[in-house]
Amino acid sequence: MKQKTEQEAYLTLAALCAQAEHCQWEMLEKMRRWELSDDAQARVMERLTKERYVDDERYARAFVKDKVRYNKWGRRKVEQALWQKHIDEDIRQQVLDEVDDEEYLSVLRPLLKQKRRSTKADSDYELNQKLMRFALGRGFTYDIIRQCIDVEEET
């Protein structure tokens, strides 16, 4: 890959951040691939942060909202993805705590309802186990899954 100057890196990353939210770690990874020196990376990151192109808290909020609403992910899976993006623990917890259980329930209920129709099982117990595994794989917590499955059984 072609090496970039500090100014080229800044302009490229600023343009990228103007189009969509990105976290600091993603920007640093790009600069590492461009073989930018460590001190140049630090200066570019400082400038991007100062000019508010990069803000990990804003990024985390947008990320959580998108993953819960559109990808139908649960708290655990979102938390893992934020960890992989090297988002600070305090920011992760704060942003995840802002999402209330009702939102997770409103995402999980239709998901389980749809999965229930397409899942074959010999007994209700087996069906519930399959639904439980499915929801756990999506990153939902056991207590929220239990609430949804209990409601499904009553109807």
Side-chain angles (χ1 to χ4, degrees):
M1 182 169 269
K2 181 181 158 246
Q3 271 193 315
K4 289 185 183 261
T5 65
E6 187 175 328
Q7 182 64 16
E8 287 174 332
Y10 168 76
L11 292 172
T12 303
L13 295 176
L16 210 66
C17 291
Q19 294 171 357
E21 289 291 341
H22 293 281
C23 64
Q24 286 185 18
W25 181 77
E26 290 172 337
M27 300 295 102
L28 288 170
E29 279 299 301
K30 286 193 181 304
M31 288 189 281
R32 275 189 214 108
R33 283 195 303 249
W34 296 333
E35 298 172 7
L36 218 59
S37 68
D38 288 345
D39 55 327
Q41 286 181 29
R43 286 192 299 272
V44 170
M45 272 314 302
E46 185 180 333
R47 192 169 167 195
L48 288 171
T49 305
K50 190 176 83 184
E51 295 174 7
R52 307 248 322 131
Y53 281 110
V54 174
D55 181 350
D56 277 355
E57 189 171 333
R58 187 179 64 213
Y59 170 80
R61 275 197 176 80
F63 186 86
V64 168
K65 188 175 90 176
D66 285 355
K67 295 303 177 189
V68 171
R69 288 188 185 153
Y70 304 117
N71 293 39
K72 313 236 184 287
W73 285 8
R75 180 185 174 95
R76 297 252 190 265
K77 192 166 183 173
V78 173
E79 188 173 13
Q80 180 70 23
L82 287 173
W83 177 82
Q84 288 177 325
K85 299 265 186 191
H86 299 265
I87 301 296
D88 188 48
E89 172 74 21
D90 296 335
I91 294 173
R92 279 197 320 253
Q93 289 310 314
Q94 177 188 344
V95 170
L96 286 167
D97 289 343
E98 290 173 6
V99 180
D100 64 332
D101 285 353
E102 269 311 307
E103 188 159 356
Y104 288 121
L105 287 170
S106 69
V107 165
L108 184 57
R109 278 189 186 114
L111 209 57
L112 285 177
K113 190 176 248 179
Q114 183 180 4
K115 185 70 175 173
R116 184 180 288 272
R117 280 189 235 120
S118 66
T119 304
K120 293 179 179 22
D122 295 332
S123 66
D124 283 347
Y125 177 78
E126 185 182 348
L127 177 63
N128 285 341
Q129 292 304 309
K130 287 181 177 184
L131 292 174
M132 186 75 69
R133 274 195 304 278
F134 168 75
L136 285 169
R138 281 293 182 112
F140 289 95
T141 55
Y142 184 77
D143 55 323
I144 289 186
I145 299 168
R146 200 67 247 165
Q147 284 177 310
C148 290
I149 287 181
D150 289 345
V151 167
E152 285 290 314
E153 287 176 347
E154 291 170 10
T155 56

